[in-house]
Amino acid sequence: MEEVPHDCPGVGSAQAGRGASCQGCPNQGLCASGAGAAPDPAIEEIKEKMKTVKHKILVLSGKGGVGKSTFSAHLAHGLAEDENTQVALLDIDICGPSIPKIMGLEGEQVHQSGSGWSPVFLEDNLGVMSVGFLLSSPDDAVIWRGPKKNGMIKQFLRDVDWGEVDYLIVDTPPGTSDEHLSAVQYLAAAHIDGAVIITTPQEVSLQDVRKEISFCHKVKLPIIGVVENMSGFICPKCQKETQIFPPTTGGAEVMCHDLKIPLLGKVPLDPRIGIRFRLKAGYRISLEASRGRCPACPVYRESRRSPPCTRLLSVRVATKDSLFWLKPRIHQPL
Amino acid sequence: MEAAGEPGNLAGVRHIILVLSGKGGVGKSTISTELALALRHAGKKVGILDVDLCGPSIPRMLQVQGKAVHQCDSGWVPVFVDQEQSISLMSVGFLLEKPDEAVVWRGPKKNALIKQFVSDVAWGQLDYLVVDTPPGTSDEHMAVVDTLRPYSPLGALVVTTPQAVSVGDVRRELTFCKKVGLRVIGVVENMSGFVCPHCAECTNVFSRGGGEELARHAGVPFLGSVPLDPELTRSLEEGRDFIQGFPESPAFPALSCIAQKILNEAPVGLS
């Protein structure tokens, strides 16, 4: 689809192919025949595939660089701490696939079997899929328009052999565009538990995040809650706190209060998180994920009556000064 | 949106600079805004074209959110940020009915609007047009490069932060620039260290060195490192002129240096 009129009514609309603005559009015939409006058979195929996946969680943000991939990786690690929990992490950021690097899986390749593509397993109970595994060089750019990206996402959901999974976490790129629409559309019949939305405290992030929340409402995607990342920095030398990204309009707390959405918690800026995660060298930071009560987290207490997936996303607080919501645990170098 | 496109709406624009990054949240909009302010302080007339349709940040950074876009014979009139009309801005942010409204468009519709922004905005006479982009290498980037190609852009400023996860995406952006024949003016490393205001200890919050190494690896100029400064963040939040307000900030020398490099690269007569 190259030259589309600027007031294109949309391929799914009743006016598709029939509106005044459709005259001369190269896709007019296709739209007028109704082909554009027919449901994609892949939706049913994905519904079947997803029957072995208990919970599906999207990690979203309108804003880039707030820590979606970092949080997704931490959440996946945290949930997989329990050996009996099968976790899958799917990276649908096609242009900027960060998950392989964050998970220390750069250079790994995807193999195909009779039952589809095999995810790359970091642990026995933690499988990962990303377009990053399909690129032959770290310099390779994925310069794709929307339809091709959508095709890739469809394949990830339909053709990857995830097996029996308790949690599928889907890491997304910033924005409210093709990837997000496709993920919601293809998973429509398979029931998504909801979205965790990541932000940082400053208004320039919140203004994009409000749009993301608006997107969720538009596509009827339940919102599990918001995580405020990069929330305060403790100087390693003098231990004094500075707000590098000041919450000039009250941060996520005020936004969540205004929009009546749960604030799941706040994660501080920690330079150790910026260190490369590598399974075979260096430190790995993981966060404990608790299935039970979380007495130190007042937000969690309020949401105890929420669906099970909300409880399972809460993370135990355990710092001496209670400033922070999550406590990183540093694993010893391997 | 019905104004006919004037063939010459970019005819009066001397130099076009794209601000790109494969990675989100590295400070493209910040660098675009500060570059425009610095060029204005050097006496230049600057336009900013914000083609981030899903997350248009720049109106708020210049405190012109909520302004209306008017039409003239040549097309849309960009919003002037100041009385002297030395900085003008076009963004999808001005076209939304409500500020929290999401632009939930697929590629073709985004491409169409970007083409309009390039051809139907009456920029008038500008020394520099700074084009702020969303992260990635997709529809918006291809549309803006294709539409600007006849006007021979000066090149791209590529922004990264020091850590590996950013550099990893920005490498791909540099490949994109090569593939589409867009010259890279240089790499800017943003969020490069934080000096604690209490004890002056510098912490590399987002690791260190990645930007310079990336520039070296790609064989492009390294334009400088901009440290983290809460005053810079606050200025952008409140729509204040950081260049004018905080000349003593640790971020000021780096930002001025980047602007100076652009001025040296593409001098615009005496204005």
Side-chain angles (χ1 to χ4, degrees):
Chain A
M1 280 200 170
E2 290 298 330
E3 292 300 321
V4 173
H6 72 268
D7 47 0
C8 163
V11 298
S13 121
Q15 282 302 300
R18 295 180 181 87
S21 50
C22 300
Q23 302 301 321
C25 173
N27 304 300
Q28 186 182 12
L30 194 69
C31 290
S33 69
D40 190 331
I43 294 175
E44 271 305 305
E45 290 168 340
I46 290 167
K47 179 185 175 187
E48 276 308 301
K49 199 77 183 210
M50 290 286 134
K51 278 185 171 161
T52 56
V53 177
K54 286 204 191 106
H55 298 292
K56 299 148 210 88
I57 297 153
L58 266 61
V59 179
L60 302 174
S61 179
K63 187 83 183 73
V66 296
K68 289 177 290 310
S69 300
T70 303
F71 183 84
S72 300
H74 279 130
L75 182 60
H77 269 301
L79 290 168
E81 293 275 346
D82 176 359
E83 287 169 357
N84 298 317
T85 305
Q86 282 295 129
V87 182
L89 177 56
L90 171 60
D91 176 9
I92 62 167
D93 188 342
I94 308 293
C95 295
S98 305
I99 293 288
K101 192 180 285 290
I102 291 175
M103 301 293 273
L105 294 172
E106 266 190 311
E108 296 288 336
Q109 293 192 323
V110 166
H111 301 283
Q112 246 185 335
S113 71
S115 34
W117 290 356
S118 301
V120 174
F121 282 93
L122 180 59
E123 317 273 2
D124 286 340
N125 65 334
L126 177 48
V128 182
M129 180 55 72
S130 167
V131 82
F133 299 134
L134 308 177
L135 301 171
S136 47
S137 153
D139 291 317
D140 281 350
V142 180
I143 309 172
W144 291 355
R145 294 188 187 275
K148 211 164 168 182
K149 291 194 285 187
N150 300 339
M152 185 87 260
I153 292 167
K154 187 197 304 194
Q155 276 197 279
F156 277 161
L157 291 170
R158 185 190 59 196
D159 299 343
V160 172
D161 181 22
W162 295 108
E164 298 281 337
V165 169
D166 293 294
Y167 296 96
L168 171 65
I169 296 158
V170 183
D171 181 33
T172 64
T176 50
S177 188
D178 286 276
E179 296 88 332
H180 314 84
L181 283 167
S182 294
V184 169
Q185 179 194 346
Y186 290 130
L187 287 170
H191 178 63
I192 305 173
D193 291 73
V196 174
I197 301 180
I198 314 292
T199 185
T200 47
Q202 75 275 42
E203 178 58 24
V204 80
S205 291
L206 297 174
Q207 70 180 8
D208 285 354
V209 168
R210 287 191 203 97
K211 294 184 204 296
E212 196 75 22
I213 291 169
S214 167
F215 165 80
C216 290
H217 292 324
K218 230 176 188 169
V219 300
K220 299 185 179 33
L221 177 61
I223 297 172
I224 296 170
V226 171
V227 173
E228 184 181 89
N229 200 12
M230 306 195 199
S231 192
F233 171 73
I234 300 279
C235 176
K237 189 174 177 197
C238 69
Q239 301 300 309
K240 293 214 169 91
E241 194 197 11
T242 313
Q243 290 287 351
I244 294 183
F245 301 115
T248 54
T249 56
E253 210 160 325
V254 169
M255 180 189 73
C256 287
H257 175 267
D258 290 345
L259 298 177
K260 300 183 180 28
I261 291 170
L263 174 64
L264 297 178
K266 301 180 183 184
V267 184
L269 260 172
D270 186 335
R272 291 171 297 184
I273 295 178
I275 294 168
R276 280 171 74 163
F277 286 68
R278 265 201 291 234
L279 192 60
K280 294 190 176 122
Y283 295 98
R284 206 184 87 209
I285 295 176
S286 79
L287 307 165
E288 283 176 35
S290 161
R291 272 186 212 251
R293 287 187 55 189
C294 178
C297 182
V299 172
Y300 170 64
R301 255 187 251 122
E302 274 167 34
S303 62
R304 257 190 304 168
R305 274 186 230 97
S306 321
C309 58
T310 311
R311 285 200 289 279
L312 293 161
L313 281 170
S314 299
V315 179
R316 198 165 2 139
V317 176
T319 56
K320 56 180 185 212
D321 51 11
S322 300
L323 263 178
F324 308 123
W325 179 63
L326 300 164
K327 176 170 183 170
R329 278 196 300 129
I330 310 296
H331 293 262
Q332 292 308 307
L334 298 173
Chain B
M1 291 218 188
E2 297 302 324
E6 278 287 302
N9 265 338
L10 283 180
V13 176
R14 297 274 196 93
H15 298 292
I16 299 171
I17 299 155
L18 278 73
V19 181
L20 303 173
S21 180
K23 186 87 183 69
V26 297
K28 291 177 289 307
S29 300
T30 299
I31 297 291
S32 298
T33 301
E34 298 309 324
L35 176 61
L37 290 168
L39 290 170
R40 188 221 0 227
H41 281 292
K44 308 301 174 196
K45 270 199 90 173
V46 188
I48 307 175
L49 174 57
D50 176 6
V51 300
D52 188 342
L53 304 184
C54 296
S57 307
I58 304 210
R60 194 190 168 88
M61 289 180 174
L62 292 166
Q63 216 176 31
V64 286
Q65 66 274 35
K67 299 270 179 189
V69 167
H70 301 287
Q71 292 203 358
C72 66
D73 291 340
S74 317
W76 292 341
V77 180
V79 171
F80 290 103
V81 150
D82 54 349
Q83 293 263 10
E84 301 80 26
Q85 299 194 343
S86 48
I87 297 185
S88 52
L89 168 63
M90 180 52 73
S91 168
V92 79
F94 299 130
L95 308 178
L96 302 173
E97 280 182 20
K98 293 182 216 159
D100 297 341
E101 194 182 318
V103 173
V104 185
W105 293 352
R106 289 196 183 268
K109 213 163 168 182
K110 291 197 282 187
N111 297 343
L113 183 61
I114 288 170
K115 284 178 183 162
Q116 270 199 284
F117 272 172
V118 171
S119 63
D120 294 354
V121 173
W123 293 106
Q125 301 297 318
L126 288 180
D127 298 313
Y128 298 95
L129 178 64
V130 178
V131 184
D132 183 32
T133 63
T137 51
S138 190
D139 291 274
E140 295 91 329
H141 313 86
M142 288 189 259
V144 87
V145 166
D146 283 343
T147 322
L148 288 175
R149 202 184 294 280
Y151 305 98
S152 305
L154 186 65
L157 278 186
V158 177
V159 185
T160 186
T161 48
Q163 78 270 44
V165 81
S166 291
V167 167
D169 283 351
V170 179
R171 283 171 81 162
R172 304 187 203 281
E173 194 74 19
L174 290 169
T175 303
F176 167 80
C177 291
K178 214 171 180 175
K179 277 200 162 147
V180 299
L182 182 62
R183 178 180 158 248
V184 175
I185 300 170
V187 169
V188 172
E189 183 183 271
N190 198 18
M191 306 199 199
S192 198
F194 174 65
V195 176
C196 177
H198 305 286
C199 68
E201 166 89 351
C202 180
T203 308
N204 293 314
V205 181
F206 298 113
S207 192
R208 62 171 295 181
E212 203 161 353
E213 208 180 296
L214 173 67
R216 200 172 22 242
H217 164 85
V220 297
F222 179 63
L223 298 185
S225 306
V226 182
L228 278 162
D229 181 0
E231 290 301 338
L232 173 58
T233 317
R234 205 177 283 275
S235 297
L236 292 158
E237 293 275 283
E238 293 163 4
R240 284 188 281 133
D241 185 340
F242 173 79
I243 300 288
Q244 183 161 60
F246 298 94
E248 273 124 40
S249 151
F252 181 85
L255 290 168
S256 305
C257 187
I258 290 162
Q260 193 55 53
K261 290 203 166 114
I262 298 290
L263 288 165
N264 295 345
E265 181 94 19
V268 176
L270 294 167
S271 51

